[in-house]
């Protein structure tokens, strides 16, 4: 299944603030590490789309956890 979202530039400016209420702490930190608002929005959207797809396809019932190696 392929999921595509192409409206990041149409999201309101307060989308980043809204995400701070429901993104996991590690993803929020990752999102805020980006310099530009557009990149922050895309980071949040990528995570939200992944969660949506995993739940829709019944692969995961809970939110996924990620880890990074020394190279990110």
């Amino acid at each position: 299944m392929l999921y595509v979202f192409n409206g990041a530039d149409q999201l309101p400016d307060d989308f980043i603030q809204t995400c701070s209420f429901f993104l996991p702490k590690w993803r929020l930190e990752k999102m805020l590490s980006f310099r530009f608002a557009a990149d922050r929005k895309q980071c949040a959207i990528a995570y939200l789309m992944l969660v949506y797809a995993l739940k829709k396809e019944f692969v995961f019932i809970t939110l996924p956890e990620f880890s990074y190696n020394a190279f990110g």
Side-chain angles (χ1 to χ4, degrees):
M1 191 61 57
L2 178 65
Y3 295 90
V4 178
F5 181 83
N6 61 0
D9 57 335
Q10 298 173 3
L11 291 170
D13 292 334
D14 65 346
F15 177 75
I16 295 168
Q17 177 66 26
T18 302
C19 289
S20 68
F21 294 109
F22 59 83
L23 284 178
K25 182 182 177 194
W26 66 269
R27 189 61 182 202
L28 180 61
E29 290 171 355
K30 178 75 171 172
M31 179 186 74
L32 295 175
S33 72
F34 291 99
R35 180 177 178 188
F36 299 108
D39 296 331
R40 291 178 177 187
K41 290 178 185 179
Q42 290 177 4
C43 180
I45 291 167
Y47 179 79
L48 295 173
M49 287 182 63
L50 175 62
V51 170
Y52 173 80
L54 291 174
K55 287 186 175 189
K56 185 168 180 170
E57 302 299 324
F58 303 107
V59 176
F60 288 102
I61 297 172
T62 61
L63 294 177
E65 293 185 31
F66 296 90
S67 61
Y68 296 94
N69 64 14
F71 302 104

